[in-house]
């Protein structure tokens, strides 16, 4: 995948086209890193930007578009099948525990979340809050 290194002020960055799906090599997701976008680390030692759809973006950081439910929907899909195409049309149906875990990570700086923590969060149903209704 072609990548362009950029600098905004003194801050280095990367520009790339996000894939629609990750290579289906038989590897599995080992962790995700939230840093500018959602990065996927795999059991075969690869690091990929998380896939998105042709009409949607997936990134992590300040501003509009850093929806934990979108990231949760993508991660939920990749936990089962690393090579699957993702669908963000119904991202609000992502497992609530996974969405809640990602909401807690919404702070400056990179955060890495291991597979076991993602799987545990996916199986956990957090209590409903008053703004869930």
């Amino acid at each position: 995948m072609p990548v362009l290194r950029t600098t905004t002020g003194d801050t280095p960055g990367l520009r790339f086209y996000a894939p629609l799906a990750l290579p289906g090599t038989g590897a599995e997701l080992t962790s995700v890193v939230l840093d500018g976008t959602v990065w996927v680390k795999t059991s075969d030692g690869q690091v990929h930007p998380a896939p998105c759809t042709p009409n949607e973006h997936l990134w992590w950081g300040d501003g509009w578009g850093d929806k934990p439910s979108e990231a949760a929907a993508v991660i939920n899909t990749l936990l089962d099948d690393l090579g699957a195409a993702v669908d963000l049309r119904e991202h609000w149906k992502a497992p609530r525990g996974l969405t809640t875990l990602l909401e807690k990570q919404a702070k400056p700086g990179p955060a890495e979340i291991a597979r076991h923590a993602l799987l545990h969060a996916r199986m956990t149903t957090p209590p409903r809050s008053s703004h869930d209704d």
Side-chain angles (χ1 to χ4, degrees):
M1 167 186 334
V3 176
L4 174 67
R5 291 179 191 265
T6 64
T7 304
T8 304
D10 291 333
T11 306
L14 301 173
R15 288 188 173 237
F16 54 87
Y17 287 109
L20 298 178
L22 298 181
T25 61
E28 44 178 44
L29 181 151
T30 58
S31 67
V32 295
V33 177
L34 307 173
D35 187 17
T37 190
V38 178
W39 297 94
V40 177
K41 289 186 170 184
T42 64
S43 60
D44 61 359
Q46 301 291 312
V47 179
H48 302 275
C52 62
T53 66
N55 298 322
E56 299 286 337
H57 67 282
L58 183 65
W59 62 285
W60 196 263
D62 295 331
W64 53 273
D66 56 339
K67 298 176 186 148
S69 61
E70 289 178 352
V74 170
I75 292 166
N76 185 53
T77 298
L78 299 179
L79 283 168
D80 293 331
D81 181 359
L82 194 62
V86 298
D87 183 356
L88 294 177
R89 287 178 289 181
E90 296 187 356
H91 62 85
W92 60 88
K93 292 183 180 179
R96 281 192 13 235
L98 197 51
T99 301
T100 299
L101 174 66
L102 295 171
E103 286 171 347
K104 292 177 182 177
Q105 304 301 317
K107 61 181 187 258
E112 184 168 2
I113 307 170
R115 179 182 183 85
H116 67 86
L118 297 166
L119 289 170
H120 182 267
R122 179 166 79 168
M123 295 184 311
T124 303
T125 304
R128 294 185 72 81
S129 67
S130 60
H131 68 275
D132 287 340
D133 297 325

